């Protein structure tokens, strides 16, 4: 945080929520509009279940719909900030014209709720309303022209929603590490994408109890080589 790291950290105090159009680039528009309507029921009943597997709720005291747009907007704003910072730095290096200039890629972190990686294109799932990292990935492509996006999802649960959103997309590489057999039971090692996207999905189910050594080995021997071969324009991480 900025109070501990000073000028090393640029903190985004204010940013715009994601638009409905941003969300509809990943989720079906009928689901997005339906969630807005569910808020009317939540205001009358206090809390309503909007999905049965998980489950996922909408609440009246804090608008689930609006807060989910805010969460998705955080990822979009980070993409904007990282791309803008990188563009300014590259221009500065070009202006100086020095071969000794080194460029450290900028990084951002969004501490947001609700989470997103279980939300499938047609609806919510597992406490997830909108797929925040998936929405950020599509935004990076559509607005900034970053064609190749590499998504790393590490969590005890498989990121099935992100997996499904890009299962046939050759330009978005989705890689998930998760505990074998855990919720929601997806993410088998043979699930590697479909059609044009075959080979740009990689699921790595690990035995329960896998610790630091196992994770470090997976990153060094699998994730890093995959990223190097894919040559992404940007890397997004779902941090479980």
């Amino acid at each position: 945080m900025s109070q501990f790291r000073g000028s090393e950290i640029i903190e985004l105090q204010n940013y715009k929520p994601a638009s409905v159009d941003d969300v509809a680039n990943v989720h079906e528009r009928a689901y997005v509009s339906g969630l807005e309507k569910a808020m009317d029921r939540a205001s009358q009943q206090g809390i309503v279940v909007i999905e049965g597997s998980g489950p996922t709720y909408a609440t009246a005291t804090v608008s689930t719909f609006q807060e989910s747009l805010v969460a998705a907007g955080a990822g979009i704003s980070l993409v904007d900030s990282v791309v803008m910072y990188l563009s300014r730095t590259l221009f500065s290096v070009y202006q100086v014209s020095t071969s000794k200039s080194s460029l450290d890629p900028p990084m951002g972190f969004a501490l947001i709720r609700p989470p997103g990686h279980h939300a499938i294109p047609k609806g919510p799932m597992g406490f997830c309303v909108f797929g925040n990292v998936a929405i950020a990935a599509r935004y990076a492509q559509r607005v900034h022209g970053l064609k190749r996006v590499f998504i790393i999802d590490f969590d005890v649960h498989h990121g099935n929603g992100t997996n499904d959103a890009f299962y046939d997309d050759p330009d978005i590489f989705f890689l998930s590490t998760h505990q074998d057999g855990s919720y929601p039971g997806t993410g088998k090692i043979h699930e590697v994408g479909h059609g044009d996207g075959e080979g740009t999905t990689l699921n790595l189910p690990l035995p329960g109890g896998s610790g630091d050594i196992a994770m470090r080995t997976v990153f060094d021997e699998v994730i890093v080589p995959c990223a190097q071969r894919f040559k992404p324009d940007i890397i997004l991480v779902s941090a479980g």
Side-chain angles (χ1 to χ4, degrees):
M1 299 177 70
S2 55
Q3 59 260 47
F4 301 110
R5 301 287 294 275
S7 60
E8 294 180 55
I9 300 294
I10 301 173
E11 195 168 346
L12 301 181
Q13 296 287 352
N14 299 296
Y15 58 87
K16 293 181 180 180
S19 69
V20 170
D21 287 340
D22 291 326
V23 176
N25 282 308
V26 171
H27 296 283
E28 293 181 5
R29 194 171 288 271
Y31 159 55
V32 181
S33 60
L35 180 60
E36 277 192 286
K37 295 176 182 177
M39 295 312 304
D40 293 334
R41 288 191 290 122
S43 65
Q44 298 170 8
Q45 302 175 27
I47 186 171
V48 296
V49 178
I50 58 173
E51 199 275 325
S53 175
T56 307
Y57 300 95
T59 61
T61 51
V62 177
S63 171
T64 298
F65 181 74
Q66 291 301 325
E67 289 301 310
S68 298
L69 292 179
V70 170
I76 287 174
S77 296
L78 279 183
V79 169
D80 283 338
S81 298
V82 165
V83 172
M84 289 171 59
Y85 178 89
L86 185 58
S87 298
R88 289 196 302 266
T89 306
L90 283 171
F91 180 75
S92 176
V93 170
Y94 176 77
Q95 289 288 87
V96 173
S97 298
T98 171
S99 61
K100 295 183 180 179
S101 294
S102 62
L103 183 63
D104 291 327
M107 294 177 288
F109 183 80
L111 184 61
I112 53 174
R113 300 291 283 177
H117 73 166
H118 291 313
I120 57 178
K122 65 180 181 180
M125 186 175 177
F127 304 110
C128 298
V129 179
F130 298 142
N132 299 315
V133 76
I135 292 168
R138 279 287 184 239
Y139 180 87
Q141 290 180 317
R142 182 172 55 87
V143 175
H144 294 291
L146 302 177
K147 181 180 180 182
R148 298 172 72 79
V149 182
F150 193 86
I151 300 175
I152 303 170
D153 185 311
F154 67 92
D155 187 88
V156 69
H157 298 146
H158 176 234
N160 62 295
T162 315
N163 181 103
D164 292 356
F166 306 125
Y167 204 61
D168 59 358
D169 191 325
D171 294 320
I172 295 184
F173 196 118
F174 174 71
L175 189 151
S176 175
T177 63
H178 46 274
Q179 181 174 310
D180 191 19
S182 63
Y183 177 87
T186 54
K188 306 303 182 184
I189 198 166
H190 65 269
E191 297 172 9
V192 295
H194 177 264
D196 291 340
E198 185 173 351
T200 54
T201 295
L202 182 58
N203 288 297
L204 301 171
L206 302 175
S210 297
D212 294 344
I213 294 176
M215 287 299 295
R216 179 61 184 265
T217 301
V218 165
F219 268 83
D220 288 345
E221 298 186 7
V222 181
I223 296 177
V224 170
C226 282
Q228 289 172 334
R229 284 194 298 270
F230 186 67
K231 294 181 173 61
D233 297 311
I234 191 170
I235 297 174
L236 302 178
V237 179
S238 288

